[in-house]
Amino acid sequence: MSSNPAPGKGNTSSLPGMWSQVGQKVWHHWQRTAAQLPSQCAVCHAWPAQRVCNDCVARFAQPRPRCPTCAMPLAQATVRCGECLSRPPLLDGCVAAVDYGFPWSGVLSGFKFHGDPSWANALALLIRSTPWAEPALEAAGLVLPLPLSPQRLRQRGFNQSLLLARHLAPEKTDATLLLRLHHTPAQSSLGRAQRLLNLEGAFALEPTRASAVRGQRIVLVDDVMTTGATLHSAAAVLRQAGAAHVSALVVARTRTPDLDSDECMAL
Ligand SMILES: [Zn+2]
Ligand SMILES: [Zn+2]
């Protein structure tokens, strides 16, 4: 049993100590509840507002030039980044709404760990308002959320990418075609080639429906893109099955490949 006696109170069973604990619980509950109120901005706490108010979106989600195939920020959006030019990625295109950082890292963490459906709507809106996202969705025949492994899905109880995909394109979203066969260990200490190797065999298509991919334009949806190894691994499976075009839409892109979302967000 762990107990934290209030300073000078001897033990937690004393009335002031108990009231202090009750007060703390009420306060934490209020903070959690307030954060979920649709009428309060989760970033600046202004209200009435959407989940993230227009001022905060304008301040923290300004579209910026990005590499069209890996979404890394660039000085100009007209050409691919050096990395993509020297080693063309398995994705034909990639759109990220924001950089992974304040306030979105906290927002995404809350979305993922609390599974608040109203966050899915707000974050999908953020993606939708990013240049090139809407045309990619319109041209897509299939929208596939990055799947979780059965083990991870059991732990979390929901797939955050599926929630996003359903808000982006409910009629095109297919949550059972692309499968994640096993959980991948944290990849932060691995190089690019090793990451891809680590993910080898992680994805597969549902065997009886693999032909549904042939000739299709496919959009993959994920919450955070770090090195891109996970998306590339999924894209490789889709290409092998004959997909005509594979792109990705993500909420946030990390700017430092070292920061792996498997590490920082326990994917
Ligand atoms: Zn705000
Ligand atoms: Zn690039």
Side-chain angles (χ1 to χ4, degrees), residues 188-263:
S188 57
S189 58
L190 305 177
R192 185 177 187 270
Q194 285 174 304
R195 284 174 201 248
L196 281 170
L197 204 62
N198 195 29
L199 283 158
E200 208 172 72
F203 295 98
L205 292 169
E206 206 284 310
T208 61
R209 300 179 55 221
S211 61
V213 164
R214 189 164 298 282
Q216 289 279 9
R217 286 183 73 95
I218 293 171
V219 168
L220 292 165
V221 175
D222 205 2
D223 55 346
V224 182
M225 179 179 182
T226 52
T227 61
T230 309
L231 283 164
H232 292 160
S233 179
V237 168
L238 296 168
R239 285 186 177 284
Q240 274 166 14
H245 189 278
V246 185
S247 60
L249 298 181
V250 301
V251 177
R253 175 72 159 107
T254 62
R255 299 196 63 180
T256 48
D258 299 343
L259 182 66
D260 193 289
S261 66
D262 282 358
E263 280 290 296

Side-chain angles (χ1 to χ4, degrees), residues 111-135:
F111 169 49
K112 183 174 289 194
F113 293 115
H114 301 300
D116 181 345
S118 69
W119 267 128
N121 190 31
L123 294 170
L125 266 175
L126 206 61
I127 292 178
R128 265 192 178 283
S129 40
T130 306
W132 306 113
E134 199 78 50

Side-chain angles (χ1 to χ4, degrees), residues 25-37 51 114:
K25 279 184 182 167
V26 168
W27 173 240
H28 286 312
H29 178 73
W30 162 250
Q31 282 186 311
R32 276 199 303 273
T33 307
Q36 288 167 11
L37 286 175
R51 289 300 265 136
H114 301 300

Side-chain angles (χ1 to χ4, degrees), residues 41-46 49-57 60:
C41 171
V43 179
C44 71
H45 305 298
Q50 296 119 5
R51 289 300 265 136
V52 180
C53 76
N54 290 337
D55 285 351
C56 285
V57 169
F60 297 111

Side-chain angles (χ1 to χ4, degrees), residues 62-95:
Q62 277 295 326
R64 59 188 306 172
R66 292 178 186 276
C67 172
T69 44
C70 76
M72 280 300 257
L74 291 175
Q76 294 181 349
T78 50
V79 290
R80 291 181 175 193
C81 74
E83 176 75 12
C84 288
L85 282 172
S86 62
R87 283 192 289 190
L90 288 163
L91 289 170
D92 294 300
C94 183
V95 172

